[in-house]
Amino acid sequence: MVSPRSTALPVDLKNATLSSVLVEYSEHAPDQVCIYLLHSTRPALKITYAQLLARAACFAGALNQHGVKRGDVVIIILDHSQELIYAFFGAVLAGAIPAIMPFLTEKLSPVQYRSSLTALLDITRPGAMITCREFESEVEQASAGSSVSPVIIAAENINHSRCDPPDNIEGIHGDPDEIAVLQHSSGTTGLQKGVALSHRAVFNQLHSYAQSIHLDPQDVVVSWLPLYHDMGLIAGFLLPVMLGVPLVLMSPFDWVRAPHRLLKAISEYRGTLCWLPNFAYNFCALKIRESDLQDVDLSSWRAAINCSEPMYWSSHEMFLERFRPYGLREDALATCYAMAENVFAVTQGGIQSPTLIDAIDTTALTTGHAVKIDQDDSKNVKLLSAGKSLGNTSVRVVDAQGQSLPDRTVGEIAIKSNCMLTGYYNRPDLTEQAFIEGWYMSGDLGYLAGDELFITGRKKDLIIVGGKNVYPQDIEYLAGQVEGVHLGRVAAFGVYNDRAGTEDVVVITEVDSLDEQAGIQIADQVRRQVTRGSDIALRHVHIVERGWLLKTSSGKVARAANREKYQTEILGNTPPSDSS
């Protein structure tokens, strides 16, 4: 059992930059291990603050030698590795703006990925791209189709034996109001509009969020989240490294292949904090075997924070019941509402008191009202509160005109804080559209009950059937209760019906084996389950083979992309009412 120790320094976060804090830690706590980098095939690699600064300086020197200037964007496409960490901070030390991007994987459309990467180059106009040798050809293809030709650097070519002293590197003495990092939304390829965040915004978030989760020097963060996603980059990387809390960092691919490794790491390193998307609770509860949990002790885990996708009470229940025998406490189940445009967290729940559960009438919800009820009923739903807003963040729920709505009335969530994005990089048009009188319009729907925020869906995904609002995640959840169907492999969306003058709800679900008769039975069961548990009569259910659904870079079902795929691949050959 490992017990990491940390030394939290009295850093002036108000005027800090990522590089200044890294230098301060390397001077005052050079031998402190900041990252334990785990890999399934190798022993854990311990990275101290001194090593992090020295290796990052090598990347910074290489960028400067290739002509990368202060304020240039550096796109980083690297797998889980120490090179990814050094490249990120190397760009920071060089005074450049790092932007971590996902690899092309089997869950992404190759055509869309390449097209989006080319478009990304045209928009961000980077000074350099850092990748690995095996991915250089992919990057070169995207660059060939672009109007810019950035320098392409293979991480393996960085010479760590010849590095400039950090004091000679451009970005050591930066301005807190300069852009520190670009975060990209997790669209179909994750290569969408870039959220530009200043050093000041990042540290305002870290300071406020640390207070919200009661961060302590004795905490240990354990994460498997990819660094191209805001939850992974901020909560699972910059928060611990910049605030002196040890980080145990796993590969996302190792976690997917063997999810028990996360619990093993929490047990071994006495992990206290971990952020998880909702599907991970189900995935761990269903996939981890008893034989993989020998000697696992989760009693150190004080906050398992659900974030980044619709949160389900039943997922918490399943997770708790599965791992309670191994020391998981009910009060460790927490929630968070976050977005890249606010650096990360907007709200936090479940730290000081148990996560609030709201039982509401689903029929009333279709008319925009969250009516609280007590009795159990198949058409009622239990919603998890996303918690209360951070101390530096204000939240309103507004109507289409931007006017505040009463409690328990569904509307768009508007946000104002001192850690808001500088803007969408090189997209002033999108930046202007995102704000109304200084309030950022999130595009998310929800309601306030007192000072607790509840998320009901995404505005662009909302399905309107006969004037009633239908939330696709509710339909997907109901479909996921059918045997043979798994949450995360269902997409629900609306398709306009000219004849009816309203939208039809369509459900696409993947199954492991595309047996025709079994598919018809599953489709019938999905129809009955959704019709019985919601306010719609579902007709259009399509069963497809595993791998058909398009997903975002963060693993979420891409509803808009799947609607387009459905219209081109299924409507062109199969009547909408067909279930096969």
Side-chain angles (χ1 to χ4, degrees), residues 161 175 283 351 401 514 540:
S161 64
D175 185 331
F283 189 72
I351 300 296
Q401 289 72 46
L514 198 61
H540 307 303

Side-chain angles (χ1 to χ4, degrees), residues 110-399:
V111 174
Q112 284 187 309
Y113 181 92
R114 295 174 187 123
S115 174
S116 293
L117 185 54
T118 299
L120 176 75
L121 297 179
D122 288 333
I123 294 170
T124 59
R125 310 188 73 79
M129 300 180 72
I130 301 176
T131 189
C132 59
R133 288 182 188 139
E134 68 182 51
F135 207 68
E136 274 188 293
S137 61
E138 195 74 47
V139 171
E140 288 168 354
Q141 287 181 51
S143 181
S146 170
S147 60
V148 295
S149 299
V151 173
I152 299 173
I153 301 172
E156 296 92 334
N157 293 338
I158 301 297
N159 187 342
H160 292 286
S161 64
R162 299 176 58 188
C163 300
D164 294 333
D167 287 344
N168 296 345
I169 295 174
E170 177 73 20
I172 286 294
H173 310 289
D175 185 331
D177 292 315
E178 291 179 333
I179 296 174
V181 63
L182 288 188
Q183 292 195 92
H184 285 75
S185 66
S186 57
T188 309
T189 64
L191 310 181
Q192 309 299 313
K193 54 194 177 187
V195 177
L197 302 168
S198 69
H199 294 271
R200 194 182 303 279
V202 169
F203 281 104
N204 284 343
Q205 163 76 194
L206 298 186
H207 174 69
S208 185
Y209 194 45
Q211 292 180 328
S212 182
I213 61 175
H214 296 182
L215 191 70
D216 184 271
Q218 300 309 307
D219 274 317
V220 176
V221 173
V222 181
S223 180
W224 57 267
L225 301 166
L227 301 191
Y228 54 75
H229 188 271
D230 60 334
M231 185 161 63
L233 180 64
I234 304 301
F237 185 57
L238 290 182
L239 176 79
V241 173
M242 290 288 98
L243 298 187
V245 170
L247 167 63
V248 180
L249 188 60
M250 302 171 53
S251 162
F253 297 105
D254 286 347
W255 176 80
V256 168
R257 295 186 191 104
H260 69 273
R261 288 183 178 134
L262 172 66
L263 305 190
K264 290 272 191 181
I266 289 170
S267 179
E268 179 180 355
Y269 291 88
R270 308 309 297 149
T272 62
L273 295 168
C274 184
W275 285 260
L276 300 167
N278 190 88
F279 86 88
Y281 293 78
N282 297 63
F283 189 72
C284 287
L286 295 171
K287 298 293 185 181
I288 296 177
R289 298 170 297 186
E290 289 291 329
S291 59
D292 292 324
L293 294 172
Q294 188 174 357
D295 299 325
V296 164
D297 176 8
L298 303 179
S299 60
S300 65
W301 202 354
R302 72 174 182 86
I305 303 175
N306 195 337
C307 188
S308 96
E309 63 180 17
M311 303 175 294
Y312 294 105
W313 169 80
S314 61
S315 298
H316 277 205
E317 288 287 290
M318 181 188 296
F319 192 75
L320 178 63
E321 290 308 307
R322 180 69 180 83
F323 301 112
R324 194 200 300 265
Y326 299 92
L328 179 67
R329 302 186 310 277
E330 185 172 5
D331 62 8
L333 300 175
T335 57
C336 174
Y337 170 57
M339 62 181 56
E341 286 82 354
N342 200 54
V343 179
F344 178 60
V346 176
T347 66
Q348 178 64 48
I351 300 296
Q352 291 180 284
S353 58
T355 301
L356 190 64
I357 301 171
D358 204 21
I360 61 171
D361 185 334
T362 54
T363 301
L365 188 61
T366 65
T367 64
H369 300 283
V371 178
K372 189 174 179 63
I373 55 173
D374 296 321
Q375 68 272 26
D376 289 330
D377 186 276
S378 63
K379 290 193 175 182
N380 300 332
V381 64
K382 291 181 179 179
L383 295 184
L384 290 173
S385 168
K388 301 175 182 178
S389 59
L390 272 59
N392 67 338
T393 302
S394 298
V395 172
R396 298 165 59 208
V397 173
V398 302
D399 61 18

Side-chain angles (χ1 to χ4, degrees), residues 552-563:
T552 70
S553 58
S554 58
K556 302 175 189 176
V557 171
R559 296 189 184 99
N562 283 299
R563 179 173 55 237

Side-chain angles (χ1 to χ4, degrees), residues 26-69:
S26 67
E27 290 177 350
H28 293 90
D31 298 325
Q32 179 176 318
V33 177
C34 54
I35 301 173
Y36 294 81
L37 192 66
L38 307 189
H39 197 285
S40 61
T41 62
R42 297 188 293 272
L45 176 68
K46 298 178 182 180
I47 301 175
T48 67
Y49 278 106
Q51 291 169 334
L52 178 55
L53 179 64
R55 294 298 180 91
C58 296
F59 275 86
L63 290 170
N64 288 338
Q65 290 168 17
H66 282 91
V68 173
K69 303 182 294 298

Side-chain angles (χ1 to χ4, degrees), residues 13 23 74 84 113 223 254 277 303 306 371 388 390 468 475 477 489 511 543 568:
L13 298 183
V23 169
V74 174
L84 172 60
Y113 181 92
S223 180
D254 286 347
N306 195 337
V371 178
K388 301 175 182 178
L390 272 59
K468 294 182 178 180
I475 305 301
Y477 175 75
R489 288 164 57 187
V511 294
I543 307 299
T568 57

